[in-house]
């Protein structure tokens, strides 16, 4: 059984790398690729952006309700973390936060989210 992942920050360098690595891993399946709603890449195929060819997952500005997600990998910006965090809490989606540069209030929000869903906070990944 494959783990279905969503990548927040999918259009950045690390996000593209995560898409490529997940595509090559038989135990993972990218089912959602999220970036800022203002990104010029919204609507493009995440695999094409990552250089692995189309994978049938379009970049969206928010996590689609229809996506069956087992975990979210957050590798964007503090603003991106702030946007995806309440979605993960509301849906009880496990979240890996690998983004750096969070202020104290951001860190407090991430730690508070861990009371409602699984959170791995590793900002220096």
């Amino acid at each position: 059984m494959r783990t279905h992942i969503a990548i927040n920050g999918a259009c950045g360098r690390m996000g593209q790398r995560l898409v490529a690595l997940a595509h090559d891993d038989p135990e993972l399946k990218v089912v959602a690729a999220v970036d800022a709603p203002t990104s010029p890449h919204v609507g493009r195929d995440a695999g094409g952006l990552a250089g692995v060819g189309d994978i049938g997952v379009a970049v969206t500005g928010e996590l689609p309700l229809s996506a069956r997600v087992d975990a979210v990998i957050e590798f964007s910006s503090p603003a991106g973390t702030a946007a995806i965090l309440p979605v993960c809490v509301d849906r009880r989606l496990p979240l890996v936060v690998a983004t750096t540069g969070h202020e104290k209030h951001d860190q407090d929000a991430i730690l508070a989210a861990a009371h409602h869903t699984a959170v791995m906070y590793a900002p220096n990944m």
Side-chain angles (χ1 to χ4, degrees), residues 22-88:
H23 176 70
D24 289 342
D25 190 322
E27 293 186 21
L28 299 174
K29 180 177 176 82
V30 177
V31 296
V34 182
D35 213 280
T38 57
S39 170
H41 301 298
V42 168
R44 292 189 55 195
D45 189 278
L49 286 170
V52 295
D54 289 355
I55 61 171
V57 177
V59 175
T60 59
E62 62 183 34
L63 187 61
L65 284 172
S66 61
R68 189 186 137 250
V69 177
D70 296 318
V72 176
I73 301 173
E74 200 315 279
F75 220 132
S76 63
S77 67
T81 304
I84 200 71
L85 193 62
V87 174
C88 291

